[in-house]
Amino acid sequence: VEKTFLMVKPDGVQRGLIGEIVQRFERKGFQLVGAKLMHISRELAEQHYSEHKEKPFFGELVDFITSGPVFAMVWQGENVIQIARDMMGKTNPADAAPGTIRGDYGVQVSMNVIHGSDSKESAEREINLFFKPEELLEYTRDINKWI
Ligand code: GTP
Ligand code: MG
């Protein structure tokens, strides 16, 4: 099964949205296989966002993502990478549809509540950056046959 890396950003943690966000993915039927509340180091932030290092907002992005705790998660399920992106909504909350996480909770592009991997390659890269193999659990749920 496919896995993706999702993270409630510092704004989402400060605003008390961890439970709300976890609930959306649980209700959709996805399975949580790893999670932790953590403070991202500058080094990890720069690695995580290395694709954006030439962008004018890179410094601001690293400052923001290291400004407080984040809630890092690994979710699994069929097509979870793309479906989670759809559930998150467009990058800029101003463009994100109502019903999506960013559409419902975000206002500014710099504080858009949640991160999600955008491809199989980035999911694998990000999961390995944030989690040790032993922090990811393998378990079956009887309910999987109904999803
Ligand atoms: P992530 O899931 O966080 O990676 O978002 P994304 O994949 O929808 O967008 P992208 O990877 O292109 O950009 C990464 C993050 O940079 C976004 O989530 C925004 O928080 C931030 N970002 C993008 N554009 C701007 C900008 O113009 N200014 C600032 N401050 N941040 C930006
Ligand atoms: Mg991205």
Side-chain angles (χ1 to χ4, degrees):
V1 258
E2 197 170 276
K3 288 189 177 71
T4 196
F5 174 70
L6 302 179
M7 169 169 77
V8 182
K9 294 184 179 183
D11 56 329
V13 173
Q14 290 292 326
R15 292 173 57 200
L17 296 174
I18 294 173
E20 169 64 34
I21 289 168
V22 168
Q23 185 173 62
R24 288 185 181 220
F25 295 105
E26 281 186 318
R27 287 194 172 160
K28 178 68 179 171
F30 293 132
Q31 186 174 346
L32 186 62
V33 295
K36 57 184 165 185
L37 188 68
M38 62 185 284
H39 206 123
I40 300 185
S41 66
R42 276 199 94 75
E43 189 191 3
L44 177 57
E46 285 170 7
Q47 280 181 284
H48 173 65
Y49 280 129
S50 59
E51 65 172 311
H52 300 300
K53 66 173 179 292
E54 308 302 334
K55 306 262 171 73
F57 57 84
F58 183 69
E60 211 179 293
L61 185 57
V62 170
D63 287 346
F64 167 63
I65 209 72
T66 58
S67 65
V70 300
F71 192 65
M73 302 168 278
V74 178
W75 287 86
Q76 90 180 15
E78 235 173 275
N79 294 316
V80 66
I81 298 172
Q82 186 55 50
I83 294 170
R85 293 280 295 184
D86 294 342
M87 290 169 66
M88 287 160 51
K90 294 251 176 71
T91 304
N92 189 340
D95 303 325
T100 65
I101 294 166
R102 287 163 171 168
D104 287 349
Y105 301 116
V107 175
Q108 305 180 54
V109 71
S110 55
M111 289 192 278
N112 58 1
V113 185
I114 184 167
H115 163 81
S117 307
D118 60 11
S119 66
K120 279 191 164 57
E121 296 66 40
S122 63
E124 197 180 316
R125 191 181 78 88
E126 292 167 2
I127 289 168
N128 289 326
L129 261 182
F130 282 84
F131 287 88
K132 301 189 190 100
E134 64 267 26
E135 291 175 320
L136 301 179
L137 308 189
E138 261 179 56
Y139 63 103
T140 54
R141 296 181 307 175
D142 291 341
I143 203 172
N144 280 353
K145 67 172 186 271
W146 300 103
I147 292 167

